[in-house]
Structure formats: C-alpha cells, structure tokens
Amino acid sequence: MKVNCHIDPNIEEEHLDLFVREMNPQINNLLKSFTSTEPVLWCYDADQIIPIKFSDIFELTVAKTGTKISTKDHTYFYRERLSHFKSNLSNDFIEASASTIFNYHYLDHLELLDNGLIDAILTNGSHIQISRRKIKNLKARLGL
C-alpha cells in the first residue's frame, strides 16, 4: 500500500483522502479511528502503529525513552515522555507517583500494605503502588 502524508501549516481544513480497492476490517478500523471524537494515542506495538483510545488505557508508566501504555491485556509504547502529555489526560486518570498514572475506572480495590503504603489493584490484575505524596490526592479523588 502506498501512503502519502502532506504537512501544510497553511491548510484551512484538514482532510483525508483514501483510495482502496475494497473495504476490509483494517481499513474500517482506520476510518473509525480518524472519525472518532474520542482522543487517542498513536502507540507502537513492535513495528505497527495502533490508535489506543484514552478510555481503554489502564495505566501509563514512564519508560526509558517514552511511555508504556497498558490496556486490559496488552502493553504498547508511546514515543513521548509522560510529562509532556499528562496535562492532556482527562479527569479519569489519577497520578499514583511521578512515574505512573492510572485510570480510576479500572480500579478494582485498594490494599493497605504493612509499611503504610497503598497498592491500587486494577481489574487487569496490575498492582500500582501509590506514593506517600499522592495518597491524599487519591483519597480526595475517590471520595474517601
């Protein structure tokens, strides 16, 4: 497949022209991602770039050269530092520490640890330790 991308800061309205021989599930998914009003992150999975809806994100974690994006059953890579886009995240996300943010809609339960810290357990089984500085914010956001 041939792909052309033209970047023109003077263009009045962005548009997409797509010429295909036949409609298939991949093309259909691509069109849905472009026409959806829900924000997405274009993440890497090996050599593929896949749109991940913000509502599907369970956890965002700082990685060496970007951000790990975890969904229900898969982890993707986003090539931008978490600090650069965390202000664009919706109120569905709670900062657990300087390096981890999670979607509270996927919070299964909280565990109080012996050392006084709290672990947030997500519905996908992921354990996220809440830093001492963020516990007050977590309680406020959850109404505890």
Side-chain angles (χ1 to χ4, degrees):
M1 177 187 296
K2 181 180 174 184
V3 177
N4 294 321
C5 180
H6 304 280
I7 300 170
D8 182 358
N10 299 320
I11 196 167
E12 288 183 29
E13 183 180 12
E14 295 177 331
H15 67 276
L16 172 71
D17 294 325
L18 188 62
F19 300 87
V20 296
R21 285 190 196 113
E22 64 181 337
M23 202 61 166
N24 62 42
Q26 289 176 315
I27 299 295
N28 193 32
N29 289 340
L30 179 68
L31 289 173
K32 282 181 184 177
S33 69
F34 276 112
T35 58
S36 173
T37 57
E38 184 176 358
V40 296
L41 288 178
W42 287 89
C43 300
Y44 288 85
D45 182 24
D47 61 344
Q48 293 184 339
I49 300 175
I50 299 170
I52 306 298
K53 295 178 185 175
F54 279 53
S55 61
D56 291 340
I57 297 173
F58 277 59
E59 175 184 353
L60 302 104
T61 309
V62 170
K64 201 173 217 178
T65 58
T67 305
K68 285 190 332 185
I69 308 293
S70 299
T71 61
K72 182 177 183 178
D73 53 5
H74 201 74
T75 301
Y76 302 92
F77 182 75
Y78 185 67
R79 289 189 177 172
E80 194 169 323
R81 307 236 6 120
L82 181 58
S83 59
H84 290 127
F85 69 93
K86 77 178 183 181
S87 62
N88 296 335
L89 295 173
S90 69
N91 287 334
D92 298 338
F93 292 89
I94 297 175
E95 197 169 1
S97 66
S99 62
T100 305
I101 297 174
F102 69 96
N103 187 333
Y104 81 89
H105 290 294
Y106 297 114
L107 179 65
D108 186 51
H109 65 279
L110 298 173
E111 282 184 9
L112 184 60
L113 303 176
D114 293 337
N115 59 5
L117 293 176
I118 296 175
D119 259 4
I121 313 301
L122 303 184
T123 56
N124 66 351
S126 180
H127 288 246
I128 300 171
Q129 193 167 63
I130 309 299
S131 74
R132 291 186 192 278
R133 292 181 178 161
K134 303 296 180 181
I135 290 175
K136 184 177 180 181
N137 182 37
L138 173 71
K139 287 179 178 181
R141 292 285 306 279
L142 298 177
L144 300 175

